[in-house]
Amino acid sequence: QQRSSTYTTSSGSLAECDTRLKASHAKNCSTDMAEFEELMKERREIVQERCGVLNQKRRNDPAKEKWFLQKIGTKGVDYCPIFKAASSFTEAHFCPPYFDAKTCADIGATPWRSKRVDKAKAPAGTPKMMVVRNPFDRVLSAYRDKVQALKPTSPDRKPVFEQIVLPRRYVPFPLRAQKDKLFRDAIEKSKTLFKERGVSIYVKDSDNPYLNPASATFPEYIDNLLTFSWRDIHFAEMTDRCSPCKEDYTYILKTEEYGCEFPLLLNAIGASDIKIDDSKKSNVNSARKDSQYSDVFEYYGQLSDRTIDAFVDWFKTDCYYFDYDCEELACEIKEWKQRNKSGAD
């Protein structure tokens, strides 16, 4: 079946790209359970068919991690979390203090109680669930949240500098003898710089290359990902984490449609009385009316065509199994680059 591209652009303007992309994502929310069940069946069949095409059934290991999420009195779901694909939003609704307590074992809460059992087997007959997201959106979200604007106290700041920045930042010859000191100074200095999320900070009048900028750039981050230098669960491949060819998922939801699909999932497992927290919808890309889809062009437009192709190849299984037209989006980004003369080979 021929499918239209999710992303369509006709001009080089970021504003116009953004308008068109928002429109392409804006779909009518169906509240019909029969339509929801039919959609879930279609997605399962697509995955099963494509697993057969690639002969992946025997090669894939079981899911790396699964959480048994249950509202007491319901059958719950055996959930494989894909980070940066609505995982926090999902768990928060089965465990109210998730964002504060980080633990959800038999919590007494009104009006309902919930369970989360890490890496435990769910009772027989429990439906399996995963939530997927377009790799371009998901990897960009991971960069902005986990690399570009790390909190000053984050334990990840040092490995980001050591594994991403250090091997990729050019140090002029006269400064190379001071390389180790410059690196240590940059780590300490950067702890005081980041006051806003998503901001790359350059230190004026500094000859320290590790401070210009004081975080890993997007091209550095993507180069790290594609060369397997430093790995993180927030940008691991979805097929690797959840093994859809090995696990038979009853529900495969998409982040892009999560605002519509999550309430129907709750209804399907008998938990429709769980109140969806509108204040946490900002964690879900599809639920943000002010989402800047043009960010995909602005960030990936910094990459060379060769790197964009390598990115698509890296995530080709995710794109194929979950029906994302990543090659089409890559072409759109390259065309946008040509019109805006950004990126270089």
Side-chain angles (χ1 to χ4, degrees):
Q1 182 179 2
Q2 190 70 26
R3 299 179 184 273
S4 61
S5 171
T6 304
Y7 299 84
T8 308
T9 62
S10 62
S11 79
S13 161
L14 273 178
E16 291 183 16
C17 284
D18 190 50
T19 299
R20 293 176 65 86
L21 292 178
K22 285 179 183 177
S24 71
H25 280 70
K27 297 182 179 179
N28 294 327
C29 278
S30 172
T31 58
D32 187 275
M33 279 302 298
E35 290 183 11
F36 175 70
E37 295 289 355
E38 185 62 30
L39 177 62
M40 295 300 103
K41 178 183 177 184
E42 178 185 349
R43 288 181 186 166
R44 288 196 304 273
E45 289 176 348
I46 288 173
V47 169
Q48 290 166 2
E49 175 187 350
R50 295 179 180 185
C51 285
V53 169
L54 297 185
N55 193 27
Q56 289 285 310
K57 288 186 180 295
R58 292 191 180 91
R59 290 191 295 179
N60 273 13
D61 295 327
K64 295 285 192 299
E65 183 175 9
K66 284 194 289 185
W67 300 342
F68 173 39
L69 301 180
Q70 179 189 43
K71 176 184 179 294
I72 302 302
T74 72
K75 56 189 175 184
V77 287
D78 198 12
Y79 171 52
C80 178
I82 293 173
F83 298 101
K84 305 311 300 178
S87 57
S88 295
F89 182 85
T90 299
E91 187 176 358
H93 285 82
F94 289 88
C95 173
Y98 169 79
F99 286 99
D100 297 320
K102 301 291 185 183
T103 179
C104 310
D106 278 329
I107 293 171
T110 55
W112 48 270
R113 295 191 303 125
S114 61
K115 284 184 179 180
R116 163 181 152 180
V117 185
D118 283 348
K119 300 181 181 178
K121 288 186 177 180
T126 300
K128 295 180 181 180
M129 166 195 171
M130 65 184 296
V131 184
V132 298
R133 186 177 186 180
N134 187 300
F136 280 92
D137 293 323
R138 179 170 166 258
V139 170
L140 175 56
S141 178
Y143 169 72
R144 296 181 72 172
D145 286 352
K146 306 300 178 183
V147 175
Q148 188 177 29
L150 286 173
K151 294 179 180 179
T153 56
S154 171
D156 285 335
R157 178 167 294 283
K158 193 169 185 288
V160 164
F161 262 82
E162 287 180 340
Q163 304 299 327
I164 301 181
V165 175
L166 179 60
R168 294 173 177 83
R169 200 65 61 84
Y170 175 73
V171 179
F173 180 76
L175 298 176
R176 288 182 187 173
Q178 308 173 49
K179 185 174 181 178
D180 290 344
K181 181 180 183 302
L182 292 171
F183 184 69
R184 291 193 301 270
D185 290 347
I187 292 178
E188 291 304 311
K189 178 67 174 176
S190 69
K191 291 179 181 178
T192 67
L193 294 177
F194 292 96
K195 306 299 182 185
E196 300 178 46
R197 293 168 65 83
V199 176
S200 292
I201 295 179
Y202 290 76
V203 180
K204 293 181 180 179
D205 302 322
S206 173
D207 59 359
N208 188 336
Y210 299 119
L211 286 173
N212 288 295
S215 63
T217 66
F218 190 66
E220 288 171 340
Y221 162 76
I222 294 297
D223 182 68
N224 165 79
L225 186 155
L226 298 178
T227 56
F228 214 83
S229 298
W230 179 64
R231 304 299 287 161
D232 182 90
I233 56 176
H234 293 89
F235 47 88
E237 298 92 306
M238 296 183 289
T239 46
D240 183 60
R241 276 198 60 76
C242 291
S243 297
C245 295
K246 186 77 172 180
E247 309 280 357
D248 185 15
Y249 288 98
T250 315
Y251 303 108
I252 302 174
L253 278 64
K254 289 196 172 185
T255 307
E256 294 81 8
E257 309 298 334
Y258 208 55
C260 297
E261 295 175 359
F262 184 62
L264 295 171
L265 167 80
L266 293 178
N267 190 45
I269 64 171
S272 58
D273 56 325
I274 291 181
K275 179 177 174 57
I276 294 179
D277 188 343
D278 291 333
S279 68
K280 294 185 175 66
K281 277 191 176 182
S282 61
N283 290 280
V284 185
N285 188 42
S286 63
R288 290 199 302 257
K289 292 183 179 179
D290 58 346
S291 291
Q292 296 298 308
Y293 292 106
S294 59
D295 286 353
V296 168
F297 291 89
E298 191 170 18
Y299 278 81
Y300 286 92
Q302 300 172 39
L303 307 178
S304 70
D305 287 0
R306 189 180 300 109
T307 301
I308 294 171
D309 290 340
F311 179 90
V312 172
D313 186 65
W314 188 272
F315 287 101
K316 63 184 177 184
T317 307
D318 285 354
C319 300
Y320 182 57
Y321 284 176
F322 304 119
D323 209 29
Y324 288 111
D325 197 343
C326 297
E327 291 186 359
E328 178 67 20
L329 176 52
C331 290
E332 299 285 357
I333 294 169
K334 293 175 187 178
E335 290 174 6
W336 183 88
K337 278 175 51 186
Q338 287 296 318
R339 290 190 293 266
N340 289 270
K341 298 181 180 179
S342 61
D345 278 304

